[in-house]
Amino acid sequence: VQLQASGGGLVQAGGSLSLSCAASGSFFRVYTMGWYRQAPGKQRELVASITRGSNTNYADSVKGRFTISRDNAKNTVILQMNGVKPEGTAVYYCNADLRPYYYSSITDHWGQGTLVTVSS
């Protein structure tokens, strides 16, 4: 199983950026998907998550600015970031809970991370 993230880069404060992540490989089903971020010297934190039924959860710091969505048929999750702030500079990691086989437990998987730099 692989989580391939893309879309990071340099963006000016107040601008927009979209991150995409696709789960690939052999598995039965993907459940909750989400995005986390880790700024230099800080702990990794949840940015947003979305269940298979599209229930969403956002960090207070991004509510009203970021939108998470998913395509269950393509096993992808997208984070649309609007009104980005310099404090949003971090490595963003895609996360997915999935069941490898129909009879197995749900396991937690991480993508490789994509750097988002917000200039002031």
Side-chain angles (χ1 to χ4, degrees), residues 51-110:
T51 67
R52 188 170 179 82
S54 293
N55 292 315
T56 58
N57 182 40
Y58 294 94
D60 288 343
S61 59
V62 306
K63 283 181 180 177
R65 298 186 295 116
F66 290 10
T67 302
I68 190 169
S69 60
R70 66 185 288 167
D71 184 331
N72 288 334
K74 296 181 179 179
N75 295 312
T76 59
V77 61
I78 294 173
L79 183 69
Q80 177 64 41
M81 304 185 292
N82 298 328
V84 296
K85 300 179 180 180
E87 52 264 41
T89 294
V91 177
Y92 285 68
Y93 295 91
C94 175
N95 175 268
D97 294 332
L98 61 85
R99 197 184 299 274
Y101 305 97
Y102 74 93
Y103 53 80
S104 61
S105 300
I106 294 174
T107 55
D108 188 47
H109 296 261
W110 293 91

Side-chain angles (χ1 to χ4, degrees), residues 9-77:
L10 176 64
V11 60
Q12 286 190 333
S16 298
L17 198 64
S18 181
L19 304 181
S20 179
C21 176
S24 63
S26 179
F27 48 85
F28 174 67
R29 185 168 291 167
V30 180
Y31 295 92
T32 298
M33 302 185 80
W35 289 94
Y36 290 71
R37 66 187 179 189
Q38 187 167 20
K42 294 189 176 182
Q43 290 189 331
R44 191 174 298 188
E45 62 176 2
L46 173 70
V47 177
S49 64
I50 183 168
T51 67
R52 188 170 179 82
S54 293
N55 292 315
T56 58
N57 182 40
Y58 294 94
D60 288 343
S61 59
V62 306
K63 283 181 180 177
R65 298 186 295 116
F66 290 10
T67 302
I68 190 169
S69 60
R70 66 185 288 167
D71 184 331
N72 288 334
K74 296 181 179 179
N75 295 312
T76 59
V77 61

